[in-house]
Amino acid sequence: MAAHAPWTRETVVRSRRRCPTRTSAIGLLTLYVHLCGCGEQQVTQREERSTEAGPQLVLVDSVLLVESDTLFLGQPLSITTDPSDGTVYVADAMAGRIVRYARDGRPLRLYGKAGPGPGELELPMAVFVAGDALAVVDGMRNEVLQFDRATGSYRGLVHLGGWTGNVVSSAYDTVWMGVRNPVANTIVAAWDVGAERVLHMGPIPEEFRTFPNITRAQGLGVVRWGDTLLVGFGPLNGLLVMATDGSVLDTVSLPVTHRRGVPAKVLETDDGTLAYVANRVSALWGMHRLPNGDAAVVHYDLTVDGQPRPRIGATMYLSVLSRDRYGACVDKVVPVRGASLPAFTFRADTLLVVFQQVTDTVSAAWLKAFVVSQERCEWHPIVSKAMLN
């Protein structure tokens, strides 16, 4: 494949198509939350106040993902890039498939299709490159399915042995995943690419037992950070620093300046609904190791409204934790506003986000790329070592 150009241009194009009327049951916060995509999110005062906080985001690309009536994105849930050419893989939870896009937004290939059979996907929650394979985490079956990157043919699967989030971190020949295994009482899984099983490690935080309603809004993030792992837990503010054998080395808590944070009183209260927790806490959604060794951390402040089929939107925040874990530059609002949850990945120091802009008559899916800069950062000291604020 041809070498790709760096993310240095800004291309703005436009398109119109019908707003899809279907809803989908996908496992972002729970496996059975129905999402509806019509209607634009409003810019809140919280967003307006926080545009100058945190690291700087420099827009370097804006690309429309080309769609048609037979090939459109119903619910982008996870994205990753191909290391050889920079093409983008998008996991569509509604359609049960992965779409590979060229850098100019043209669709190139499909992987998988909806269904419970071999090579079929019920809930594609995460997608990542594993050697010459494209790997997809199916959150309904808790399995990793593998497809040939070049041809799209199905290769086989690996059982995860627990519930997984929608974030993975690949390092060398090992893939690290947030996988909650209630039998082993562990929170991290390591998969050696090509192996037939995963290794479980790392303790489940005590807060998961103390505050049972945490499990309604849990996401699990893991990133390889030098010779250690950085592990995050959805609605908990603390991050665990682990050795690669799962032993806990440290706990750090990111400062909160503009996002909601994690008020303990919210976790102590439970009215039996997903919306109660989701609308009141910040949820960690993913992490990435930047080229300089610092860690980028993404949080969502979710908005869940409507019953029985709630709409879910999010304000997306980017923070940076210094590699020495002494300071953090926090809570930059990522300027993407759409009608559904954004999906994101990192490529070196660039944040890539896929999101949908939907009205009653128009729907479009965009890929935007932002270079992360720390030149204007205000660094807050890391003083608290607790999982909650």
Side-chain angles (χ1 to χ4, degrees):
M1 297 182 179
H4 66 278
W7 294 97
T8 55
R9 72 190 191 285
E10 181 174 350
T11 306
V12 179
V13 291
R14 304 180 187 277
S15 179
R16 300 172 66 89
R17 68 169 171 81
R18 294 195 311 272
C19 174
T21 57
R22 292 186 295 170
T23 58
S24 62
I26 71 172
L28 290 173
L29 308 172
T30 176
L31 293 179
Y32 303 102
V33 173
H34 292 278
L35 301 186
C36 177
C38 293
E40 292 188 349
Q41 288 178 292
Q42 299 298 314
V43 180
T44 64
Q45 291 182 351
R46 174 189 296 272
E47 290 174 317
E48 293 171 351
R49 289 197 307 267
S50 58
T51 54
E52 298 304 318
Q56 184 181 8
L57 291 172
V58 181
L59 180 67
V60 293
D61 214 349
S62 183
V63 178
L64 181 82
L65 299 182
V66 178
E67 300 175 272
S68 66
D69 286 341
T70 58
L71 177 59
F72 67 87
L73 294 175
Q75 180 58 58
L77 186 53
S78 174
I79 66 174
T80 195
T81 61
D82 193 290
S84 66
D85 61 4
T87 55
V88 178
Y89 302 92
V90 181
D92 187 348
M94 180 182 289
R97 64 191 178 191
I98 311 300
V99 186
R100 185 176 187 175
Y101 288 95
R103 290 286 297 273
D104 61 4
R106 292 177 294 111
L108 299 175
R109 186 178 297 279
L110 299 177
Y111 301 80
K113 62 180 181 180
E120 296 178 339
L121 300 167
E122 295 185 74
L123 184 61
M125 291 185 64
V127 58
F128 58 97
V129 172
D132 61 353
L134 181 70
V136 184
V137 176
D138 190 314
M140 190 71 73
R141 302 197 303 248
N142 294 318
E143 297 170 341
V144 178
L145 284 73
Q146 300 174 68
F147 300 88
D148 187 280
R149 282 163 57 196
T151 67
S153 60
Y154 174 60
R155 289 186 172 183
L157 59 81
V158 175
H159 296 280
L160 288 176
W163 184 91
T164 183
N166 61 317
V167 178
V168 300
S169 176
S170 180
Y172 310 107
D173 295 326
T174 301
V175 176
W176 304 90
M177 293 172 276
V179 175
R180 186 181 180 190
N181 186 325
V183 176
N185 203 36
T186 56
I187 205 74
V188 174
W191 174 46
D192 289 334
V193 175
E196 296 182 355
R197 58 183 302 178
V198 299
L199 177 66
H200 296 272
M201 66 185 71
I204 295 176
E206 178 62 31
E207 286 82 358
F208 277 74
R209 290 181 286 272
T210 305
F211 308 110
N213 56 340
I214 283 180
T215 58
R216 287 203 188 90
Q218 82 172 254
L220 305 174
V222 181
V223 65
R224 178 75 178 265
W225 205 25
D227 59 353
T228 61
L229 304 174
L230 192 64
V231 186
F233 306 93
L236 297 181
N237 198 55
L239 306 174
L240 292 183
V241 182
M242 291 184 183
T244 53
D245 65 359
S247 57
V248 177
L249 305 175
D250 198 2
T251 304
V252 297
S253 185
L254 290 175
V256 176
T257 61
H258 292 80
R259 69 184 191 276
R260 295 171 185 154
V262 189
K265 62 182 180 180
V266 173
L267 301 183
E268 294 169 356
T269 307
D270 185 2
D271 70 355
T273 67
L274 167 69
Y276 182 86
V277 176
N279 286 333
R280 290 168 172 81
V281 304
S282 298
L284 184 144
W285 220 256
M287 296 178 289
H288 168 72
R289 188 185 182 195
L290 295 167
N292 67 355
D294 294 348
V297 183
V298 174
H299 287 89
Y300 287 175
D301 276 4
L302 297 164
T303 302
V304 180
D305 75 69
Q307 294 292 339
R309 296 181 177 178
R311 285 188 306 201
I312 301 180
T315 301
M316 184 177 180
Y317 292 91
L318 176 68
S319 300
V320 173
L321 174 65
S322 66
R323 56 188 176 274
D324 58 13
R325 304 196 295 273
Y326 289 157
C329 178
V330 300
D331 291 354
K332 174 66 177 182
V333 169
V334 180
V336 291
R337 300 185 181 98
S340 63
L341 296 176
F344 68 92
T345 192
F346 287 86
R347 185 176 174 90
D349 63 352
T350 302
L351 169 66
L352 296 99
V353 186
V354 168
F355 66 102
Q356 295 172 301
Q357 291 182 323
V358 183
T359 66
D360 290 338
T361 58
V362 179
S363 177
W366 292 86
L367 168 67
K368 289 187 180 290
F370 304 89
V371 170
V372 179
S373 170
Q374 302 175 38
E375 292 182 1
R376 302 179 186 176
C377 267
E378 176 184 355
W379 291 93
H380 299 263
I382 301 294
V383 293
S384 172
K385 295 192 175 183
M387 297 303 286
L388 300 175
N389 286 344

